[in-house]
Amino acid sequence: MGKFNKTGKREMPALNTSSLPDLIFTLLFFFMIVTTMREVTLKVQFTLPQGTELEKLEKKSLVTFIYIGEPTQEYRAKMGTESRIQLNDSYAEVSEVQDFIFQERASMNEGDAAKMTVSLKVDQKTKMGIVTDVKNALRKSYALKINYSSTKRGEKK
């Protein structure tokens, strides 16, 4: 009497994967937006000084960083504990700062090279002699827009 015949076993229907590429591309875009790549491996350690009248930099692509501080623990045996200058991924002397600025300017567009800002990230315990030497080298290379990086008073970096 049965109108419905149960002659075969029921099989699981195939999984619909048509929306899978959309999910993968959404995850890919999410990680592309959220992830930042570190451009420079820090070989000096520094504690930024604190300030009250701070301004945020507008275009970070026009900023060139010079790091001054004590070498990190792994480089102390070779470099000592005196403050050192780091340009990109290597230690440098004051005499190399001019060439570094000229190379950075050459890698920028002509219109952006005039707007280039040099940001000094200096340890608060660094003696001013090395900072003055770097500033004089920047002056000789016509990098006259100088910024000192610091943290807001009450914050720790």
Side-chain angles (χ1 to χ4, degrees):
M1 275 240 201
K3 292 184 181 179
F4 300 105
N5 210 356
K6 294 184 182 181
T7 56
K9 289 186 174 179
R10 286 190 144 174
E11 291 185 14
M12 197 70 172
L15 186 62
N16 185 5
T17 59
S18 62
S19 64
L20 195 60
D22 294 335
L23 291 171
I24 291 172
F25 283 118
T26 304
L27 281 173
L28 176 69
F29 288 135
F30 172 76
F31 286 118
M32 285 173 52
I33 291 171
V34 173
T35 304
T36 58
M37 300 301 258
R38 182 174 288 238
E39 295 177 6
V40 175
T41 304
L42 290 178
K43 294 183 177 182
V44 295
Q45 60 186 11
F46 52 87
T47 304
L48 293 176
Q50 296 181 349
T52 55
E53 303 296 322
L54 305 178
E55 293 181 26
K56 200 159 186 94
L57 293 172
E58 295 300 320
K59 275 186 113 177
K60 284 208 170 185
S61 62
L62 301 177
V63 179
T64 301
F65 292 98
I66 296 177
Y67 305 94
I68 303 173
E70 290 183 5
T72 56
Q73 197 67 35
E74 60 187 286
Y75 296 104
R76 278 200 189 139
K78 186 167 58 169
M79 302 301 289
T81 57
E82 286 294 314
S83 292
R84 300 283 179 187
I85 301 169
Q86 180 182 341
L87 306 174
N88 286 339
D89 283 332
S90 62
Y91 290 112
E93 296 296 323
V94 176
S95 58
E96 299 173 44
V97 172
Q98 280 183 291
D99 294 332
F100 171 71
I101 295 299
F102 289 134
Q103 288 173 355
E104 289 292 312
R105 250 195 218 123
S107 67
M108 292 181 173
N109 296 335
E110 284 184 37
D112 291 342
K115 299 175 189 172
M116 183 177 91
T117 303
V118 177
S119 181
L120 298 177
K121 289 195 171 193
V122 183
D123 185 40
Q124 64 185 3
K125 295 177 184 171
T126 299
K127 296 189 168 132
M128 278 305 289
I130 192 167
V131 177
T132 304
D133 293 343
V134 169
K135 283 174 47 178
N136 286 334
L138 291 172
R139 199 173 290 138
K140 288 177 186 173
S141 62
Y142 299 105
L144 303 177
K145 285 176 113 178
I146 299 174
N147 170 29
Y148 294 97
S149 297
S150 65
T151 58
K152 198 168 191 173
R153 193 163 292 218
E155 291 181 13
K156 289 270 186 181
K157 183 193 185 273

